[in-house]
Amino acid sequence: MPEGGKPGTLAGAVVANAHIERAFTDDRLFRIRDYLSRRQVRDEIAAAAARTVLHGDFEQEHGWVRAHSAFAFALYEGGDLPRSAQHFARLGNLMAPYGWEQMSNNWRSDFRHAGRTAGVR
């Protein structure tokens, strides 16, 4: 996987998106979660987030909600609640459907439930 982009930018979301797309190559829920829960996958996603959207130089710009939503999804579904919580906290009441809507028709309520489960909402 790529390093995750220039510090303080949205570029790291490409790492989360790539892992989400890889996970969705299998349509069985347990396989999706199994892939995202691999230590190396979770660590790559978290490292990309730390270098980019969680970096001190990050400024909200067009696409920031989608980026944090993708990181929240990938880390939450991978079982990394503490690191997903960072993204849920930054999103507040905002959300984007990518990842979540592929898992459920009720993605908005699932997103809110995930945030609560991660200890944020």
Side-chain angles (χ1 to χ4, degrees):
M1 277 296 152
E3 290 262 329
K6 182 178 173 186
T9 68
L10 293 171
V14 73
V15 175
N17 292 339
H19 281 299
I20 291 168
E21 289 300 318
R22 166 58 184 87
F24 282 134
T25 61
D26 194 317
D27 62 356
R28 292 172 290 188
L29 182 60
F30 75 94
R31 296 273 187 201
I32 293 166
R33 289 181 174 148
D34 179 59
Y35 175 79
L36 292 172
S37 69
R38 294 177 186 171
R39 178 182 291 284
Q40 180 181 351
V41 170
R42 289 188 330 203
D43 288 349
E44 285 178 7
I45 294 167
R51 279 190 302 277
T52 59
V53 299
L54 297 177
H55 190 275
D57 292 338
F58 181 73
E59 295 181 14
Q60 293 178 352
E61 60 182 87
H62 178 74
W64 77 270
V65 172
R66 188 173 194 275
H68 276 294
S69 291
F71 281 116
F73 173 81
L75 293 167
Y76 177 82
E77 292 297 338
D80 194 336
L81 300 184
R83 291 194 283 195
S84 71
Q86 298 173 76
H87 301 284
F88 286 116
R90 282 171 172 75
L91 287 163
N93 290 323
L94 301 175
M95 62 185 88
Y98 179 68
W100 303 97
E101 69 182 347
Q102 284 86 347
M103 298 286 276
S104 168
N105 290 330
N106 298 317
W107 70 268
R108 286 177 181 85
S109 63
D110 290 348
F111 181 92
R112 288 185 202 95
H113 174 75
R116 286 190 301 274
T117 303
V120 175
R121 295 186 168 37

